Amino acid sequence: MKAIEIKKNIYWVGGIDWDLRDFHGYLTQKGSTYNSYLIVDEKIVLVDTVKHYLVDEMLERITNIIDPSKIDYIVSNHVEMDHSGGLPKLLKICPNATIITSPNGKKGLKSHFKEDWNFKVVNTGDSINIGKNDLQFVLMPMVHWPDSMATYINNAKLLLPNDAFGQHVASTTRFDDEIGWSIASAEAAKYYANIVLSYGSQVKKALDAVSGLEIDMIGPSHGIIWRSHINDIIELYKKWADNIVEEKAVIAYDTMWDSTDMLAKAILNVFEDKGITAQLMSLKTNHISDVMTQLLTAKYICVGSPTLNNNMLPSVAAFLTYMKGLAPKKRVGLAFGSYGWGGQSIGEIDGILKNCGFEMLEPIKAQYIPDDETLKQIKEKLTGGLK
Ligand code: FEO
């Protein structure tokens, strides 16, 4: 387990979670990393730790470079335990180290760990000299917790913004140009869609706050480090934070006896005929976090369910609950579904999408099995609605 020098005397010393597949409901097919950064200056600084079960891996990497008992400062950019989980064990090794964190960071760490550690609270604009470098701090509240902050190492021109710009990718390579832009940007999109999407206005404030810094490397707390595509990823964040969408539709649905599936395919045909890219996503076979990734840039969100026991199918309810929390904006919604007698699912879906603030198309419903004439009428109606 080696430390990797990413800048002169600055090392990546994180943990690689190869087997992670579920990150509180987010399907992490490629695993993840928890990135810690060791700065060896006149003072020894560790920025963030790792999940508790990878702390020995982090300590082994640190030990390649220095004795961990010599750490002077531990910067805690974020309280969530994938980054703070290593603190209790680390602080047994360097009990005199000072934890540098935001005001909410101190409250959060004390609430989590009930320990009377040495804290130094910092705010935006504060800086601490560690020798050749200054550590500068920028609070980034709600990107994505109240305590979140970024640390900037001035002479190294290195921004460490914790979860912002992260991606869930386990890899022995550490840089964007090594893994390739297509994978790095796709995983950053999935991360944004599933972790950050609700906080667009706070992301914009954070981007403004760091816009005056000269940055030639961004080291997030998950996945690879950005050194070749810094402007590209910042531009994507600006677009995502503004909910800028494309002429693209996502059709997310579940079906009982294939009638709602027939409606979904008829809807797909209408978008295709109008030259609008469309993605058919059965909730039997697609994870809700992958649907969210497609939805990140889609203007149209069509959600379908047959009626079961006066309600929608649980798979569709789970997706809507998840999506509502992530709060996409500036979308156009469409509810659809088949039914036998009640047909409540369509109205319920329509109501939820309306409550998300979406502009709504007229719902589409069909009793039992839609015949060719019904499907033709549905297509005509939707084609008219999209004009
Ligand atoms: Fe990667 Fe919000 O923790």
Side-chain angles (χ1 to χ4, degrees):
M1 300 291 176
K2 290 183 178 164
I4 296 172
E5 189 170 39
I6 60 166
K7 286 266 182 184
K8 190 169 168 48
N9 295 326
I10 301 178
Y11 302 86
W12 176 86
V13 290
I16 305 178
D17 201 345
W18 295 101
D19 292 331
L20 184 78
R21 290 295 177 271
D22 176 84
F23 192 84
H24 42 63
Y26 169 163
L27 178 66
T28 49
Q29 291 102 326
K30 292 188 170 68
S32 193
T33 67
Y34 315 105
N35 296 339
S36 303
Y37 298 94
L38 179 72
I39 306 162
V40 180
D41 207 324
E42 287 170 27
K43 296 286 186 187
I44 308 292
V45 182
L46 184 73
V47 180
D48 291 318
T49 69
V50 296
K51 248 187 192 176
H52 66 95
Y53 52 79
L54 288 172
V55 70
D56 288 340
E57 181 175 324
M58 177 191 77
L59 289 168
E60 192 176 328
R61 293 186 200 278
I62 294 171
T63 305
N64 285 182
I65 308 299
I66 50 118
D67 175 350
S69 70
K70 298 196 183 316
I71 292 172
D72 298 294
Y73 295 130
I74 303 165
V75 177
S76 175
N77 278 328
H78 181 26
V79 170
E80 197 165 8
M81 285 187 288
D82 46 337
H83 309 297
S84 67
L87 284 174
K89 188 161 184 178
L90 178 63
L91 279 151
K92 284 194 168 42
I93 297 169
C94 53
N96 296 320
T98 298
I99 299 175
I100 299 170
T101 190
S102 66
N104 281 322
K106 180 178 174 180
K107 279 186 213 157
L109 291 173
K110 283 174 93 74
S111 296
H112 273 71
F113 298 107
K114 329 290 184 204
E115 294 278 0
D116 197 21
W117 293 322
N118 300 323
F119 287 100
K120 177 168 178 57
V121 169
V122 291
N123 280 289
T124 296
D126 289 348
S127 71
I128 294 176
N129 179 261
I130 56 168
K132 293 187 181 66
N133 285 287
D134 291 337
L135 304 179
Q136 299 175 3
F137 305 98
V138 180
L139 269 49
M140 300 171 72
M142 300 318 296
V143 183
H144 67 126
W145 274 27
D147 53 87
S148 300
M149 77 173 189
T151 300
Y152 177 70
I153 298 107
N154 68 335
N155 286 328
K157 298 176 185 165
L158 170 63
L159 183 70
L160 302 177
N162 197 266
D163 282 332
F165 304 110
Q167 346 81 47
H168 284 311
V169 182
S171 162
T172 53
T173 51
R174 296 270 58 84
F175 292 103
D176 52 355
D177 43 76
E178 294 173 320
I179 200 167
W181 170 247
S182 64
I183 293 176
S185 59
E187 292 301 328
K190 182 167 186 181
Y191 190 92
Y192 190 97
N194 286 280
I195 304 277
V196 191
L197 181 57
S198 342
Y199 305 111
S201 61
Q202 293 91 338
V203 169
K204 285 198 271 187
K205 279 186 199 153
L207 290 172
D208 283 346
V210 299
S211 63
L213 300 174
E214 198 179 340
I215 298 170
D216 73 9
M217 191 178 283
I218 299 176
S221 56
H222 298 286
I224 55 82
I225 295 164
W226 304 96
R227 68 177 174 190
S228 295
H229 293 282
I230 291 171
N231 289 337
D232 297 329
I233 192 63
I234 288 175
E235 286 308 307
L236 279 181
Y237 258 62
K238 285 181 186 166
K239 181 178 153 192
W240 297 334
D242 267 334
N243 275 271
I244 293 173
V245 289
E246 298 161 11
E247 281 294 309
K248 171 180 157 185
V250 171
I251 303 161
Y253 71 103
D254 202 349
T255 193
M256 282 169 69
W257 293 104
D258 292 340
S259 295
T260 300
D261 182 69
M262 291 167 76
L263 297 179
K265 286 170 180 158
I267 292 166
L268 176 77
N269 288 343
V270 172
F271 282 111
E272 276 186 314
D273 289 348
K274 293 192 79 74
I276 297 170
T277 307
Q279 188 90 18
L280 194 68
M281 303 193 83
S282 162
L283 291 165
K284 284 192 204 309
T285 52
N286 290 280
H287 194 270
I288 54 177
S289 57
D290 288 321
V291 180
M292 281 311 303
T293 310
Q294 290 302 322
L295 184 52
L296 179 62
T297 52
K299 176 177 174 183
Y300 301 97
I301 173 67
C302 312
V303 181
S305 173
T307 297
L308 173 74
N309 300 328
N310 304 325
N311 216 318
M312 68 185 87
L313 288 177
S315 54
V316 179
F319 166 67
L320 287 171
T321 300
Y322 189 66
M323 184 193 70
K324 195 167 67 167
L326 288 162
K329 295 182 176 59
K330 303 180 187 171
R331 273 32 178 215
V332 176
L334 169 66
F336 67 96
S338 70
Y339 67 102
W341 51 98
Q344 294 92 335
S345 59
I346 302 104
E348 286 186 1
I349 294 169
D350 188 63
I352 291 169
L353 296 177
K354 262 190 196 125
N355 283 338
C356 289
F358 300 167
E359 181 189 329
M360 294 302 296
L361 297 166
E362 199 176 327
I364 288 173
K365 59 200 307 191
Q367 191 169 23
Y368 292 117
I369 303 170
D371 58 18
D372 288 346
E373 183 55 29
T374 305
L375 290 172
K376 184 167 169 266
Q377 286 170 8
I378 284 168
K379 286 183 181 181
E380 284 171 1
K381 187 170 127 182
L382 178 56
T383 303
L386 288 171
K387 275 178 186 161

